[in-house]
Amino acid sequence: MGYDAANEFGVIVLKPGIKLKSAVCDTEVLVIKAGGAGVVSCGGAPLVEARTGGKGAVDPAFADGTKMGKRYTDAAGTLELLCIKPGTGSLALDGVALHLKDAKPLPSSD
């Protein structure tokens, strides 16, 4: 039996290791950390496992773009996504924009 990240209702169950794609731009992400529930979107449209057909249009309110190799997280730190392919849409959880995760400072080498 193959791995299917969607439950019986067609809702994607977020688990670490799942790759998701934007339905409206080229953005692709890898789920690093997933706790809690919510709808993850990019460019104003929910992320999908496999892109089918053509692309829709990016919502101007969610058009800040994504950057390759950067991690995006919510304010509570329950969701973390790694951008593996950049695009023009920006990521959001339940309509609230995700922000770039800050790098941990390295210890001083005094």
Side-chain angles (χ1 to χ4, degrees), residues 46-104:
L47 291 173
V48 296
E49 285 188 273
R51 198 175 295 130
T52 57
K55 294 181 190 172
V58 173
D59 181 341
F62 294 96
D64 291 334
T66 52
K67 297 179 183 175
M68 176 87 158
K70 298 296 183 180
R71 293 177 184 236
Y72 293 84
T73 187
D74 62 336
T78 59
L79 176 69
E80 186 174 328
L81 304 174
L82 172 65
C83 179
I84 56 176
K85 186 173 181 186
T88 56
S90 56
L91 298 165
L93 175 63
D94 290 333
V96 178
L98 299 181
H99 60 273
L100 278 171
K101 184 174 180 181
D102 294 329
K104 293 181 181 176

Side-chain angles (χ1 to χ4, degrees), residues 5-45:
N7 66 14
E8 65 271 16
F9 303 108
V11 175
I12 296 174
V13 179
L14 295 177
K15 293 183 181 179
I18 295 174
K19 288 183 184 178
L20 299 172
K21 301 175 183 186
S22 171
V24 296
C25 72
D26 291 330
T27 298
E28 293 183 21
V29 297
L30 178 68
V31 177
I32 302 297
K33 180 179 176 184
V39 176
V40 182
S41 61
C42 182

